[in-house]
Amino acid sequence: MASPEPSAPAAGSGGDSASQAAAVEPIRMPTVEEIKGQDIWNNCAVRSVVSGVMGGGLGVLMGLFFGALDNPITTEEMTARQQIVYTAKQMGRRSISNAKTFAVMGLIFSAAECVIEKARAKHDTTNTAVAGCVTGGALAVRGGPKATCFGCVGFATFSVAIEKFFDRHT
């Protein structure tokens, strides 16, 4: 089949200097603002707080969604106004509860991953697994040692699966 592009030997020997010049680009040095932004974001405390706030926001949205799906058991006995008030209260309770849980989860996971990454000086899946174990164990610690172990293994497995799905560490 004929190709509209010239073959590699013909392009290299021909003399289209514009295509050769475009292949080599100078390295752009980051600006002072970019360097400061990277330094701020590389701070584990900043990264953890931002993750906690974003986790809380996700928790609020999930609480609103799942709170709206909770139906009272006695829907036939409630008026429309009572159902709306009940649903609004349920959405508020679920939002606050989910916001707390997701904020703590995001904060612990991000802090653990950042500290482990800085200590190991590597950016790989092991950091994710250990941070997931720490997070799952911390969230399940009230249930006792067995729940802590299951939380550790479960959250670590989930974290690694998500990490492999998004393939951040190649």
Side-chain angles (χ1 to χ4, degrees):
M1 250 192 206
S3 173
E5 299 176 9
S7 64
S13 64
D16 189 6
S17 61
S19 66
Q20 291 175 354
V24 178
E25 296 178 11
I27 297 174
R28 187 184 70 80
M29 297 300 291
T31 64
V32 174
E33 292 83 13
E34 290 173 335
I35 292 171
K36 285 182 182 179
Q38 288 174 354
D39 287 343
I40 290 171
W41 188 247
N42 284 335
N43 185 341
C44 289
V46 171
R47 192 180 293 186
S48 300
V49 169
V50 169
S51 294
V53 169
M54 293 185 74
L58 176 66
V60 166
L61 294 175
M62 289 187 65
L64 288 172
F65 177 73
F66 289 118
L69 297 178
D70 283 344
N71 291 327
I73 297 172
T74 58
T75 56
E76 297 83 23
E77 300 164 3
M78 297 174 79
T79 65
R81 179 173 166 73
Q82 289 173 332
Q83 287 180 0
I84 290 170
V85 168
Y86 176 83
T87 302
K89 287 181 180 178
Q90 191 67 18
M91 288 170 66
R93 282 192 290 269
R94 290 285 292 264
S95 292
I96 291 171
S97 174
N98 284 357
K100 289 178 188 176
T101 302
F102 278 91
V104 169
M105 189 184 311
L107 187 119
I108 293 173
F109 183 84
S110 181
E113 187 176 38
C114 185
V115 167
I116 293 164
E117 186 175 309
K118 297 235 186 237
R120 293 183 67 228
K122 284 185 177 179
H123 188 66
D124 59 3
T125 309
T126 304
N127 300 343
T128 305
V130 175
C133 179
V134 168
T135 305
L139 292 175
V141 75
R142 291 183 188 170
K146 191 174 182 180
T148 303
C149 289
F150 278 116
C152 169
V153 170
F155 210 95
T157 304
F158 177 73
S159 299
V160 169
I162 293 297
E163 191 76 22
K164 292 293 184 185
F165 178 74
F166 287 117
D167 200 28
R168 275 187 8 197
H169 307 297
T170 54

